[in-house]
Amino acid sequence: MFSFIPEPLEGLYLALEFAWKAGGALKRLIGLFISLVLTSGCSSLPKATLPSEQVPSTSYQVAYIVNHGWHTGIVYPREELLHFLPELAERFGDGQYLEIGWGDMEFYQSREVTVGITLRAIFLPTDSVLHVASVPSSPYESFPNSKIRKMCLGQAQIKSLGRFISNSFERDPSGRAVATQKGLYGDSQFYSGVGSFNVFNTCNKWTAIGLESAGFDIDASFNLTASDIIEFLDSDENTNKAMECPQQENY
């Protein structure tokens, strides 16, 4: 149906990914720099929310991670998200899922991306937005050119992920999400986000924190690229957890 690979940032993210994947002394140096940034008071928002229950689930729901090239997003059941953000029902009247992505406000919403906008998005802390798009049925149909990974989540995990997504939205005085402008593709909308975007607090780190909120054992500080997210989900310890639902699954 539609795909989204914003090219102006792709080269910069690929350069970061290449440096990170190079390993050895360069990776250790990058890791040290990230640690210094994180311990200097530049904390990342929104924060992870951990599942509150540790008992076996009796029902399951499916969510997805979508990798659009350099950018990742979370495809989450629409009806479940309305428990946390009921006002979205006014904007998205139907559809089985909603795709949510977090990113830099100016770059993400810009119809004409300039070098200045790109550099500010990468190197300066900037305000954030969320992009919400309706996914009528299958994300495989909506995003045929993207890499998609399925997650089978128990009751505590799907609710914890929903709370994280909900906490990523800035609220007005009445507690409602703050809409900004029309989205990029399909039936979509931008909303003001919580937290500042910078080179160490990116859309992919936001996705990683979402995975942590869903109960995955992931270090969000060191999963900064879209490829990191996919490789984590494809690792042996996570493949079964992500892909195989018990027979009592609930879609």
Side-chain angles (χ1 to χ4, degrees):
M1 182 183 298
F2 42 77
S3 61
F4 174 49
I5 305 178
E7 297 179 356
L9 269 185
E10 187 173 4
L12 289 173
Y13 271 92
L14 289 176
L16 174 62
E17 181 172 1
F18 175 79
W20 181 251
K21 298 298 184 184
L26 181 56
K27 183 171 182 175
R28 288 194 295 273
L29 182 61
I30 295 173
L32 176 61
F33 182 51
I34 293 173
S35 298
L36 290 173
V37 170
L38 294 178
T39 57
S40 66
C42 184
S43 60
S44 299
L45 292 174
K47 297 288 188 181
T49 62
L50 300 181
S52 58
E53 303 172 21
Q54 299 301 324
V55 296
S57 292
T58 57
S59 64
Y60 296 82
Q61 294 195 59
V62 171
Y64 300 86
I65 299 296
V66 181
N67 173 3
H68 293 296
W70 65 269
H71 168 89
T72 55
I74 299 172
V75 175
Y76 190 86
R78 173 184 170 276
E79 288 296 326
E80 186 68 35
L81 193 57
L82 295 183
H83 293 311
F84 301 96
L85 294 156
E87 63 270 29
L88 293 186
E90 302 168 13
R91 176 60 182 80
F92 301 98
D94 53 19
Q96 187 171 358
Y97 297 98
L98 292 172
E99 187 216 14
I100 306 97
W102 182 94
D104 173 76
M105 176 178 286
E106 188 175 13
F107 178 86
Y108 215 167
Q109 295 185 130
S110 178
R111 302 298 174 178
E112 182 178 352
V113 177
T114 66
V115 172
I117 290 175
T118 302
L119 292 177
R120 282 195 297 275
I122 289 293
F123 295 111
L124 296 177
T126 53
D127 291 336
S128 63
V129 290
L130 292 112
H131 184 261
V132 181
S134 177
V135 179
S137 55
S138 167
Y140 297 99
E141 296 176 1
S142 294
F143 308 109
N145 299 317
S146 299
K147 295 179 180 178
I148 299 172
R149 296 296 183 268
K150 173 184 172 183
M151 301 183 295
C152 181
L153 303 177
Q155 294 166 299
Q157 288 70 39
I158 197 75
K159 291 185 183 301
S160 181
L161 177 56
R163 285 195 300 271
F164 165 74
I165 294 173
S166 175
N167 292 343
S168 300
F169 285 76
E170 182 182 352
R171 307 303 179 101
D172 66 17
S174 66
R176 294 169 59 91
V178 180
T180 58
Q181 65 183 47
K182 189 179 185 301
L184 295 171
Y185 46 73
D187 181 12
S188 59
Q189 179 74 47
F190 279 109
Y191 294 85
S192 295
V194 168
S196 296
F197 182 97
N198 60 68
V199 69
F200 297 122
N201 196 35
T202 66
C203 58
N204 300 311
K205 182 173 181 178
W206 179 84
T207 301
I209 298 173
L211 288 173
E212 182 182 354
S213 300
F216 287 85
D217 185 15
I218 183 172
D219 186 345
S221 299
F222 296 94
N223 286 272
L224 301 176
T225 69
S227 294
D228 286 336
I229 302 298
I230 296 300
E231 289 176 10
F232 171 82
L233 290 172
D234 288 347
S235 64
D236 291 340
E237 61 184 292
N238 293 308
T239 299
N240 289 340
K241 180 177 181 181
M243 294 294 292
E244 296 182 3
C245 293
Q247 290 187 351
Q248 66 265 38
E249 61 191 90
N250 175 19
Y251 291 92

